[in-house]
Amino acid sequence: MYDPERGYPAVVPCVLYDDLTAVSGWLTEVLGFREVVRAALPDGWVGHIEVERDGFIILLGRRGGPLGDTSSLTQVYVDDVAAACERATSAGGSILDEPAGRPWGVLQAVVADPQGQRWVLTRHVRDTDPADWYGRTLGPVPG
């Protein structure tokens, strides 16, 4: 899971909302997406949903938190997250979240380009069981 070498998209738009369940329902009903991953805490709070259509993934995330009023960002898989961060800052960007391992088996950092758009630089590190991070797979996920 989350491995571009096995078919997970190398570029994934991440759109941030207050009510992920509602927007997932809308995307399913109106645009023909299907929900493939959902991460919800035991109390029902949903923090992450992935929807898929024709091999294309959109990640739905929670608005707020460390990203403030950001409404979207784009996840891009790279071979070396630290080197990509260095290139980003050398080219006038800034690091908003230093490279760190995530429970879902990736190394990630968040950078802003010179005009303020946010990019999640990601590298697949290992496969994980979604249950380990309160996720569950609802259908086949590319990669």
Side-chain angles (χ1 to χ4, degrees), residues 38-88:
R38 178 182 284 218
L41 295 178
D43 66 4
W45 184 86
V46 177
H48 170 107
I49 293 176
E50 291 181 37
V51 294
E52 183 271 343
R53 183 176 148 197
D54 301 326
F56 182 78
I57 296 283
I58 297 176
L59 191 154
L60 309 173
R62 282 275 169 188
R63 187 187 330 251
L67 295 173
D69 61 355
T70 301
S71 61
S72 69
L73 46 123
T74 305
Q75 179 172 270
V76 178
Y77 281 81
V78 297
D79 290 332
D80 184 331
V81 174
C85 285
E86 286 182 30
R87 289 192 304 272

mmCIF file of all heavy atoms in Angstrom, residues 38-88:
data_model
loop_
_atom_site.group_PDB
_atom_site.id
_atom_site.type_symbol
_atom_site.label_atom_id
_atom_site.label_comp_id
_atom_site.label_asym_id
_atom_site.label_seq_id
_atom_site.Cartn_x
_atom_site.Cartn_y
_atom_site.Cartn_z
ATOM 1 N N ARG A 38 -10.332 4.518 4.950
ATOM 2 C CA ARG A 38 -10.878 5.447 5.932
ATOM 3 C C ARG A 38 -10.126 5.247 7.238
ATOM 4 O O ARG A 38 -9.990 4.141 7.714
ATOM 5 C CB ARG A 38 -12.362 5.205 6.155
ATOM 6 C CG ARG A 38 -12.950 6.143 7.215
ATOM 7 C CD ARG A 38 -14.410 5.866 7.455
ATOM 8 N NE ARG A 38 -15.180 6.427 6.345
ATOM 9 C CZ ARG A 38 -16.351 7.009 6.505
ATOM 10 N NH1 ARG A 38 -16.897 7.097 7.697
ATOM 11 N NH2 ARG A 38 -16.991 7.484 5.454
ATOM 12 N N ALA A 39 -9.638 6.332 7.825
ATOM 13 C CA ALA A 39 -8.985 6.296 9.130
ATOM 14 C C ALA A 39 -9.884 7.020 10.121
ATOM 15 O O ALA A 39 -10.132 8.217 9.980
ATOM 16 C CB ALA A 39 -7.615 6.953 9.075
ATOM 17 N N ALA A 40 -10.384 6.267 11.086
ATOM 18 C CA ALA A 40 -11.287 6.830 12.094
ATOM 19 C C ALA A 40 -10.855 6.337 13.470
ATOM 20 O O ALA A 40 -10.518 5.167 13.644
ATOM 21 C CB ALA A 40 -12.725 6.399 11.817
ATOM 22 N N LEU A 41 -10.870 7.240 14.420
ATOM 23 C CA LEU A 41 -10.555 6.863 15.792
ATOM 24 C C LEU A 41 -11.700 6.031 16.365
ATOM 25 O O LEU A 41 -12.820 6.065 15.844
ATOM 26 C CB LEU A 41 -10.330 8.117 16.635
ATOM 27 C CG LEU A 41 -9.116 8.962 16.240
ATOM 28 C CD1 LEU A 41 -9.026 10.203 17.122
ATOM 29 C CD2 LEU A 41 -7.827 8.155 16.336
ATOM 30 N N PRO A 42 -11.443 5.299 17.449
ATOM 31 C CA PRO A 42 -12.502 4.473 18.036
ATOM 32 C C PRO A 42 -13.770 5.252 18.384
ATOM 33 O O PRO A 42 -14.870 4.697 18.375
ATOM 34 C CB PRO A 42 -11.840 3.893 19.292
ATOM 35 C CG PRO A 42 -10.385 3.855 18.949
ATOM 36 C CD PRO A 42 -10.154 5.092 18.101
ATOM 37 N N ASP A 43 -13.650 6.561 18.659
ATOM 38 C CA ASP A 43 -14.842 7.353 18.991
ATOM 39 C C ASP A 43 -15.609 7.809 17.745
ATOM 40 O O ASP A 43 -16.605 8.516 17.844
ATOM 41 C CB ASP A 43 -14.476 8.553 19.857
ATOM 42 C CG ASP A 43 -13.604 9.591 19.150
ATOM 43 O OD1 ASP A 43 -13.323 9.440 17.936
ATOM 44 O OD2 ASP A 43 -13.200 10.556 19.812
ATOM 45 N N GLY A 44 -15.122 7.418 16.547
ATOM 46 C CA GLY A 44 -15.819 7.758 15.308
ATOM 47 C C GLY A 44 -15.265 8.957 14.564
ATOM 48 O O GLY A 44 -15.666 9.226 13.433
ATOM 49 N N TRP A 45 -14.340 9.708 15.174
ATOM 50 C CA TRP A 45 -13.764 10.881 14.519
ATOM 51 C C TRP A 45 -12.971 10.431 13.304
ATOM 52 O O TRP A 45 -12.079 9.591 13.406
ATOM 53 C CB TRP A 45 -12.864 11.629 15.498
ATOM 54 C CG TRP A 45 -12.288 12.901 14.974
ATOM 55 C CD1 TRP A 45 -12.871 14.128 15.000
ATOM 56 C CD2 TRP A 45 -11.014 13.081 14.361
ATOM 57 N NE1 TRP A 45 -12.032 15.062 14.437
ATOM 58 C CE2 TRP A 45 -10.888 14.447 14.032
ATOM 59 C CE3 TRP A 45 -9.963 12.222 14.045
ATOM 60 C CZ2 TRP A 45 -9.759 14.973 13.430
ATOM 61 C CZ3 TRP A 45 -8.837 12.740 13.425
ATOM 62 C CH2 TRP A 45 -8.743 14.106 13.125
ATOM 63 N N VAL A 46 -13.298 10.962 12.123
ATOM 64 C CA VAL A 46 -12.649 10.573 10.873
ATOM 65 C C VAL A 46 -11.604 11.632 10.510
ATOM 66 O O VAL A 46 -11.919 12.812 10.387
ATOM 67 C CB VAL A 46 -13.683 10.423 9.730
ATOM 68 C CG1 VAL A 46 -12.997 10.084 8.420
ATOM 69 C CG2 VAL A 46 -14.731 9.374 10.091
ATOM 70 N N GLY A 47 -10.356 11.198 10.334
ATOM 71 C CA GLY A 47 -9.278 12.132 10.042
ATOM 72 C C GLY A 47 -8.698 12.009 8.653
ATOM 73 O O GLY A 47 -7.901 12.853 8.242
ATOM 74 N N HIS A 48 -9.101 10.960 7.910
ATOM 75 C CA HIS A 48 -8.467 10.704 6.612
ATOM 76 C C HIS A 48 -9.364 9.748 5.839
ATOM 77 O O HIS A 48 -9.789 8.725 6.363
ATOM 78 C CB HIS A 48 -7.099 10.064 6.883
ATOM 79 C CG HIS A 48 -6.387 9.517 5.696
ATOM 80 N ND1 HIS A 48 -5.292 10.126 5.162
ATOM 81 C CD2 HIS A 48 -6.588 8.409 4.941
ATOM 82 C CE1 HIS A 48 -4.839 9.404 4.140
ATOM 83 N NE2 HIS A 48 -5.613 8.355 3.991
ATOM 84 N N ILE A 49 -9.662 10.108 4.600
ATOM 85 C CA ILE A 49 -10.399 9.228 3.692
ATOM 86 C C ILE A 49 -9.713 9.316 2.342
ATOM 87 O O ILE A 49 -9.286 10.396 1.918
ATOM 88 C CB ILE A 49 -11.884 9.649 3.550
ATOM 89 C CG1 ILE A 49 -12.641 9.435 4.860
ATOM 90 C CG2 ILE A 49 -12.562 8.878 2.415
ATOM 91 C CD1 ILE A 49 -14.090 9.922 4.826
ATOM 92 N N GLU A 50 -9.598 8.176 1.674
ATOM 93 C CA GLU A 50 -9.112 8.182 0.298
ATOM 94 C C GLU A 50 -10.228 7.667 -0.591
ATOM 95 O O GLU A 50 -10.874 6.673 -0.276
ATOM 96 C CB GLU A 50 -7.883 7.290 0.141
ATOM 97 C CG GLU A 50 -6.683 7.870 0.865
ATOM 98 C CD GLU A 50 -5.442 7.027 0.722
ATOM 99 O OE1 GLU A 50 -5.223 6.463 -0.365
ATOM 100 O OE2 GLU A 50 -4.699 6.952 1.707
ATOM 101 N N VAL A 51 -10.458 8.387 -1.692
ATOM 102 C CA VAL A 51 -11.447 7.962 -2.678
ATOM 103 C C VAL A 51 -10.716 7.699 -3.981
ATOM 104 O O VAL A 51 -9.669 8.297 -4.267
ATOM 105 C CB VAL A 51 -12.584 9.001 -2.861
ATOM 106 C CG1 VAL A 51 -13.419 9.116 -1.597
ATOM 107 C CG2 VAL A 51 -12.039 10.363 -3.269
ATOM 108 N N GLU A 52 -11.270 6.776 -4.783
ATOM 109 C CA GLU A 52 -10.616 6.347 -6.013
ATOM 110 C C GLU A 52 -11.622 6.324 -7.152
ATOM 111 O O GLU A 52 -12.798 6.031 -6.965
ATOM 112 C CB GLU A 52 -10.044 4.941 -5.820
ATOM 113 C CG GLU A 52 -9.273 4.384 -6.999
ATOM 114 C CD GLU A 52 -10.130 3.630 -8.007
ATOM 115 O OE1 GLU A 52 -11.268 3.246 -7.680
ATOM 116 O OE2 GLU A 52 -9.656 3.438 -9.137
ATOM 117 N N ARG A 53 -11.127 6.660 -8.326
ATOM 118 C CA ARG A 53 -11.907 6.503 -9.553
ATOM 119 C C ARG A 53 -10.926 6.282 -10.694
ATOM 120 O O ARG A 53 -10.013 7.095 -10.897
ATOM 121 C CB ARG A 53 -12.755 7.741 -9.822
ATOM 122 C CG ARG A 53 -13.631 7.571 -11.037
ATOM 123 C CD ARG A 53 -14.534 8.732 -11.269
ATOM 124 N NE ARG A 53 -14.693 8.827 -12.711
ATOM 125 C CZ ARG A 53 -15.132 9.873 -13.339
ATOM 126 N NH1 ARG A 53 -15.489 10.945 -12.664
ATOM 127 N NH2 ARG A 53 -15.243 9.872 -14.628
ATOM 128 N N ASP A 54 -11.085 5.190 -11.403
ATOM 129 C CA ASP A 54 -10.247 4.864 -12.561
ATOM 130 C C ASP A 54 -8.753 4.912 -12.250
ATOM 131 O O ASP A 54 -7.956 5.377 -13.063
ATOM 132 C CB ASP A 54 -10.574 5.795 -13.733
ATOM 133 C CG ASP A 54 -12.034 5.716 -14.152
ATOM 134 O OD1 ASP A 54 -12.612 4.613 -14.068
ATOM 135 O OD2 ASP A 54 -12.597 6.752 -14.546
ATOM 136 N N GLY A 55 -8.358 4.451 -11.054
ATOM 137 C CA GLY A 55 -6.950 4.425 -10.665
ATOM 138 C C GLY A 55 -6.409 5.737 -10.135
ATOM 139 O O GLY A 55 -5.258 5.834 -9.749
ATOM 140 N N PHE A 56 -7.243 6.750 -10.086
ATOM 141 C CA PHE A 56 -6.848 8.073 -9.603
ATOM 142 C C PHE A 56 -7.310 8.214 -8.150
ATOM 143 O O PHE A 56 -8.462 7.918 -7.841
ATOM 144 C CB PHE A 56 -7.495 9.144 -10.478
ATOM 145 C CG PHE A 56 -7.126 10.546 -10.117
ATOM 146 C CD1 PHE A 56 -5.905 11.072 -10.501
ATOM 147 C CD2 PHE A 56 -7.993 11.346 -9.407
ATOM 148 C CE1 PHE A 56 -5.560 12.374 -10.180
ATOM 149 C CE2 PHE A 56 -7.660 12.653 -9.078
ATOM 150 C CZ PHE A 56 -6.437 13.156 -9.468
ATOM 151 N N ILE A 57 -6.443 8.650 -7.261
ATOM 152 C CA ILE A 57 -6.747 8.789 -5.833
ATOM 153 C C ILE A 57 -6.842 10.266 -5.459
ATOM 154 O O ILE A 57 -6.022 11.078 -5.899
ATOM 155 C CB ILE A 57 -5.641 8.141 -4.969
ATOM 156 C CG1 ILE A 57 -5.574 6.639 -5.196
ATOM 157 C CG2 ILE A 57 -5.807 8.468 -3.492
ATOM 158 C CD1 ILE A 57 -6.648 5.830 -4.525
ATOM 159 N N ILE A 58 -7.829 10.604 -4.640
ATOM 160 C CA ILE A 58 -7.879 11.907 -3.967
ATOM 161 C C ILE A 58 -7.888 11.617 -2.479
ATOM 162 O O ILE A 58 -8.686 10.818 -1.992
ATOM 163 C CB ILE A 58 -9.122 12.729 -4.349
ATOM 164 C CG1 ILE A 58 -9.111 13.063 -5.836
ATOM 165 C CG2 ILE A 58 -9.178 14.015 -3.520
ATOM 166 C CD1 ILE A 58 -10.356 13.801 -6.307
ATOM 167 N N LEU A 59 -6.981 12.240 -1.766
ATOM 168 C CA LEU A 59 -6.907 12.110 -0.323
ATOM 169 C C LEU A 59 -7.725 13.241 0.287
ATOM 170 O O LEU A 59 -7.535 14.403 -0.074
ATOM 171 C CB LEU A 59 -5.450 12.205 0.120
ATOM 172 C CG LEU A 59 -5.133 11.851 1.554
ATOM 173 C CD1 LEU A 59 -3.697 11.383 1.638
ATOM 174 C CD2 LEU A 59 -5.353 13.012 2.472
ATOM 175 N N LEU A 60 -8.633 12.899 1.169
ATOM 176 C CA LEU A 60 -9.431 13.889 1.893
ATOM 177 C C LEU A 60 -8.886 13.961 3.308
ATOM 178 O O LEU A 60 -8.840 12.949 4.009
ATOM 179 C CB LEU A 60 -10.905 13.476 1.911
ATOM 180 C CG LEU A 60 -11.519 13.126 0.548
ATOM 181 C CD1 LEU A 60 -12.935 12.580 0.725
ATOM 182 C CD2 LEU A 60 -11.494 14.326 -0.373
ATOM 183 N N GLY A 61 -8.449 15.134 3.718
ATOM 184 C CA GLY A 61 -7.870 15.305 5.041
ATOM 185 C C GLY A 61 -8.592 16.377 5.829
ATOM 186 O O GLY A 61 -9.442 17.098 5.309
ATOM 187 N N ARG A 62 -8.222 16.485 7.095
ATOM 188 C CA ARG A 62 -8.822 17.464 8.006
ATOM 189 C C ARG A 62 -8.209 18.846 7.825
ATOM 190 O O ARG A 62 -6.989 19.006 7.791
ATOM 191 C CB ARG A 62 -8.603 17.035 9.452
ATOM 192 C CG ARG A 62 -9.524 15.961 9.898
ATOM 193 C CD ARG A 62 -10.800 16.591 10.348
ATOM 194 N NE ARG A 62 -11.793 15.554 10.533
ATOM 195 C CZ ARG A 62 -13.050 15.800 10.780
ATOM 196 N NH1 ARG A 62 -13.468 17.043 10.855
ATOM 197 N NH2 ARG A 62 -13.905 14.833 10.932
ATOM 198 N N ARG A 63 -9.070 19.838 7.741
ATOM 199 C CA ARG A 63 -8.642 21.242 7.667
ATOM 200 C C ARG A 63 -8.177 21.673 9.065
ATOM 201 O O ARG A 63 -8.661 21.181 10.069
ATOM 202 C CB ARG A 63 -9.827 22.096 7.223
ATOM 203 C CG ARG A 63 -9.478 23.521 6.944
ATOM 204 C CD ARG A 63 -10.670 24.408 6.655
ATOM 205 N NE ARG A 63 -11.798 23.758 6.025
ATOM 206 C CZ ARG A 63 -12.169 23.947 4.756
ATOM 207 N NH1 ARG A 63 -11.466 24.729 3.981
ATOM 208 N NH2 ARG A 63 -13.233 23.358 4.277
ATOM 209 N N GLY A 64 -7.221 22.600 9.092
ATOM 210 C CA GLY A 64 -6.759 23.140 10.370
ATOM 211 C C GLY A 64 -5.469 22.487 10.835
ATOM 212 O O GLY A 64 -4.700 21.979 10.033
ATOM 213 N N GLY A 65 -5.235 22.503 12.131
ATOM 214 C CA GLY A 65 -4.024 21.916 12.689
ATOM 215 C C GLY A 65 -2.790 22.674 12.244
ATOM 216 O O GLY A 65 -2.829 23.886 12.026
ATOM 217 N N PRO A 66 -1.685 21.958 12.044
ATOM 218 C CA PRO A 66 -0.435 22.635 11.701
ATOM 219 C C PRO A 66 -0.455 23.327 10.342
ATOM 220 O O PRO A 66 0.358 24.202 10.087
ATOM 221 C CB PRO A 66 0.614 21.520 11.713
ATOM 222 C CG PRO A 66 -0.118 20.246 11.863
ATOM 223 C CD PRO A 66 -1.535 20.532 12.217
ATOM 224 N N LEU A 67 -1.401 22.966 9.472
ATOM 225 C CA LEU A 67 -1.465 23.602 8.154
ATOM 226 C C LEU A 67 -2.360 24.839 8.138
ATOM 227 O O LEU A 67 -2.552 25.455 7.092
ATOM 228 C CB LEU A 67 -1.934 22.591 7.101
ATOM 229 C CG LEU A 67 -0.978 21.426 6.871
ATOM 230 C CD1 LEU A 67 -1.600 20.402 5.946
ATOM 231 C CD2 LEU A 67 0.352 21.907 6.331
ATOM 232 N N GLY A 68 -2.917 25.187 9.281
ATOM 233 C CA GLY A 68 -3.715 26.405 9.383
ATOM 234 C C GLY A 68 -4.908 26.415 8.456
ATOM 235 O O GLY A 68 -5.678 25.474 8.406
ATOM 236 N N ASP A 69 -5.030 27.489 7.668
ATOM 237 C CA ASP A 69 -6.199 27.657 6.802
ATOM 238 C C ASP A 69 -5.988 27.094 5.397
ATOM 239 O O ASP A 69 -6.748 27.379 4.482
ATOM 240 C CB ASP A 69 -6.586 29.128 6.725
ATOM 241 C CG ASP A 69 -5.479 29.997 6.128
ATOM 242 O OD1 ASP A 69 -4.373 29.479 5.864
ATOM 243 O OD2 ASP A 69 -5.730 31.197 5.933
ATOM 244 N N THR A 70 -4.967 26.259 5.216
ATOM 245 C CA THR A 70 -4.719 25.633 3.921
ATOM 246 C C THR A 70 -5.932 24.815 3.510
ATOM 247 O O THR A 70 -6.519 24.115 4.328
ATOM 248 C CB THR A 70 -3.483 24.701 4.012
ATOM 249 O OG1 THR A 70 -2.372 25.481 4.412
ATOM 250 C CG2 THR A 70 -3.196 24.021 2.697
ATOM 251 N N SER A 71 -6.323 24.895 2.234
ATOM 252 C CA SER A 71 -7.470 24.107 1.778
ATOM 253 C C SER A 71 -7.054 22.925 0.912
ATOM 254 O O SER A 71 -7.842 22.015 0.688
ATOM 255 C CB SER A 71 -8.460 24.985 1.014
ATOM 256 O OG SER A 71 -7.839 25.534 -0.122
ATOM 257 N N SER A 72 -5.811 22.936 0.427
ATOM 258 C CA SER A 72 -5.347 21.793 -0.354
ATOM 259 C C SER A 72 -3.826 21.775 -0.380
ATOM 260 O O SER A 72 -3.170 22.786 -0.136
ATOM 261 C CB SER A 72 -5.896 21.844 -1.779
ATOM 262 O OG SER A 72 -5.314 22.899 -2.499
ATOM 263 N N LEU A 73 -3.286 20.613 -0.658
ATOM 264 C CA LEU A 73 -1.872 20.430 -0.876
ATOM 265 C C LEU A 73 -1.724 19.230 -1.799
ATOM 266 O O LEU A 73 -2.691 18.518 -2.053
ATOM 267 C CB LEU A 73 -1.096 20.245 0.429
ATOM 268 C CG LEU A 73 -1.674 19.293 1.454
ATOM 269 C CD1 LEU A 73 -0.679 18.215 1.783
ATOM 270 C CD2 LEU A 73 -1.980 20.092 2.706
ATOM 271 N N THR A 74 -0.545 19.013 -2.318
ATOM 272 C CA THR A 74 -0.337 17.922 -3.258
ATOM 273 C C THR A 74 0.791 17.037 -2.751
ATOM 274 O O THR A 74 1.862 17.533 -2.409
ATOM 275 C CB THR A 74 0.003 18.457 -4.666
ATOM 276 O OG1 THR A 74 -1.031 19.355 -5.074
ATOM 277 C CG2 THR A 74 0.120 17.330 -5.668
ATOM 278 N N GLN A 75 0.506 15.743 -2.689
ATOM 279 C CA GLN A 75 1.502 14.763 -2.265
ATOM 280 C C GLN A 75 2.252 14.264 -3.497
ATOM 281 O O GLN A 75 1.628 13.861 -4.476
ATOM 282 C CB GLN A 75 0.783 13.607 -1.574
ATOM 283 C CG GLN A 75 1.682 12.502 -1.104
ATOM 284 C CD GLN A 75 0.901 11.515 -0.273
ATOM 285 O OE1 GLN A 75 0.811 11.667 0.925
ATOM 286 N NE2 GLN A 75 0.328 10.517 -0.907
ATOM 287 N N VAL A 76 3.589 14.321 -3.435
ATOM 288 C CA VAL A 76 4.422 13.873 -4.544
ATOM 289 C C VAL A 76 5.453 12.890 -3.987
ATOM 290 O O VAL A 76 6.182 13.207 -3.043
ATOM 291 C CB VAL A 76 5.153 15.056 -5.225
ATOM 292 C CG1 VAL A 76 6.047 14.570 -6.346
ATOM 293 C CG2 VAL A 76 4.154 16.083 -5.731
ATOM 294 N N TYR A 77 5.495 11.702 -4.573
ATOM 295 C CA TYR A 77 6.477 10.705 -4.171
ATOM 296 C C TYR A 77 7.820 11.037 -4.802
ATOM 297 O O TYR A 77 7.895 11.350 -5.992
ATOM 298 C CB TYR A 77 6.015 9.300 -4.577
ATOM 299 C CG TYR A 77 4.991 8.767 -3.611
ATOM 300 C CD1 TYR A 77 3.668 9.149 -3.708
ATOM 301 C CD2 TYR A 77 5.369 7.921 -2.574
ATOM 302 C CE1 TYR A 77 2.728 8.684 -2.803
ATOM 303 C CE2 TYR A 77 4.432 7.449 -1.663
ATOM 304 C CZ TYR A 77 3.115 7.834 -1.785
ATOM 305 O OH TYR A 77 2.185 7.384 -0.882
ATOM 306 N N VAL A 78 8.861 11.001 -3.985
ATOM 307 C CA VAL A 78 10.224 11.297 -4.417
ATOM 308 C C VAL A 78 11.140 10.171 -3.929
ATOM 309 O O VAL A 78 10.797 9.427 -3.018
ATOM 310 C CB VAL A 78 10.706 12.661 -3.875
ATOM 311 C CG1 VAL A 78 9.860 13.811 -4.420
ATOM 312 C CG2 VAL A 78 10.698 12.693 -2.346
ATOM 313 N N ASP A 79 12.327 10.074 -4.546
ATOM 314 C CA ASP A 79 13.277 9.040 -4.148
ATOM 315 C C ASP A 79 13.956 9.358 -2.823
ATOM 316 O O ASP A 79 14.300 8.459 -2.066
ATOM 317 C CB ASP A 79 14.349 8.841 -5.227
ATOM 318 C CG ASP A 79 13.784 8.201 -6.477
ATOM 319 O OD1 ASP A 79 12.794 7.446 -6.380
ATOM 320 O OD2 ASP A 79 14.331 8.467 -7.567
ATOM 321 N N ASP A 80 14.172 10.650 -2.544
ATOM 322 C CA ASP A 80 14.913 11.061 -1.352
ATOM 323 C C ASP A 80 14.253 12.328 -0.798
ATOM 324 O O ASP A 80 14.412 13.413 -1.375
ATOM 325 C CB ASP A 80 16.380 11.303 -1.741
ATOM 326 C CG ASP A 80 17.271 11.635 -0.564
ATOM 327 O OD1 ASP A 80 16.795 12.213 0.443
ATOM 328 O OD2 ASP A 80 18.475 11.331 -0.651
ATOM 329 N N VAL A 81 13.537 12.184 0.305
ATOM 330 C CA VAL A 81 12.786 13.306 0.878
ATOM 331 C C VAL A 81 13.723 14.420 1.346
ATOM 332 O O VAL A 81 13.486 15.601 1.079
ATOM 333 C CB VAL A 81 11.863 12.828 2.027
ATOM 334 C CG1 VAL A 81 11.203 14.001 2.727
ATOM 335 C CG2 VAL A 81 10.805 11.868 1.483
ATOM 336 N N ALA A 82 14.809 14.073 2.022
ATOM 337 C CA ALA A 82 15.742 15.094 2.520
ATOM 338 C C ALA A 82 16.365 15.877 1.367
ATOM 339 O O ALA A 82 16.459 17.109 1.423
ATOM 340 C CB ALA A 82 16.827 14.447 3.375
ATOM 341 N N ALA A 83 16.771 15.184 0.307
ATOM 342 C CA ALA A 83 17.370 15.870 -0.849
ATOM 343 C C ALA A 83 16.338 16.772 -1.525
ATOM 344 O O ALA A 83 16.663 17.888 -1.949
ATOM 345 C CB ALA A 83 17.927 14.855 -1.847
ATOM 346 N N ALA A 84 15.086 16.322 -1.617
ATOM 347 C CA ALA A 84 14.032 17.151 -2.216
ATOM 348 C C ALA A 84 13.784 18.391 -1.356
ATOM 349 O O ALA A 84 13.548 19.483 -1.891
ATOM 350 C CB ALA A 84 12.750 16.345 -2.392
ATOM 351 N N CYS A 85 13.859 18.258 -0.036
ATOM 352 C CA CYS A 85 13.707 19.422 0.853
ATOM 353 C C CYS A 85 14.839 20.418 0.620
ATOM 354 O O CYS A 85 14.602 21.630 0.574
ATOM 355 C CB CYS A 85 13.691 18.977 2.311
ATOM 356 S SG CYS A 85 12.161 18.189 2.842
ATOM 357 N N GLU A 86 16.058 19.912 0.469
ATOM 358 C CA GLU A 86 17.201 20.798 0.191
ATOM 359 C C GLU A 86 17.006 21.541 -1.125
ATOM 360 O O GLU A 86 17.257 22.750 -1.204
ATOM 361 C CB GLU A 86 18.501 19.997 0.155
ATOM 362 C CG GLU A 86 18.983 19.569 1.511
ATOM 363 C CD GLU A 86 20.308 18.815 1.433
ATOM 364 O OE1 GLU A 86 21.115 19.086 0.514
ATOM 365 O OE2 GLU A 86 20.518 17.950 2.301
ATOM 366 N N ARG A 87 16.558 20.821 -2.149
ATOM 367 C CA ARG A 87 16.313 21.476 -3.446
ATOM 368 C C ARG A 87 15.217 22.532 -3.306
ATOM 369 O O ARG A 87 15.305 23.613 -3.898
ATOM 370 C CB ARG A 87 15.926 20.446 -4.505
ATOM 371 C CG ARG A 87 17.071 19.551 -4.941
ATOM 372 C CD ARG A 87 16.749 18.735 -6.180
ATOM 373 N NE ARG A 87 15.549 17.917 -6.068
ATOM 374 C CZ ARG A 87 15.507 16.678 -5.580
ATOM 375 N NH1 ARG A 87 16.617 16.111 -5.127
ATOM 376 N NH2 ARG A 87 14.362 16.010 -5.545
ATOM 377 N N ALA A 88 14.178 22.217 -2.528
ATOM 378 C CA ALA A 88 13.066 23.162 -2.343
ATOM 379 C C ALA A 88 13.552 24.463 -1.700
ATOM 380 O O ALA A 88 13.218 25.555 -2.170
ATOM 381 C CB ALA A 88 11.961 22.531 -1.499
#
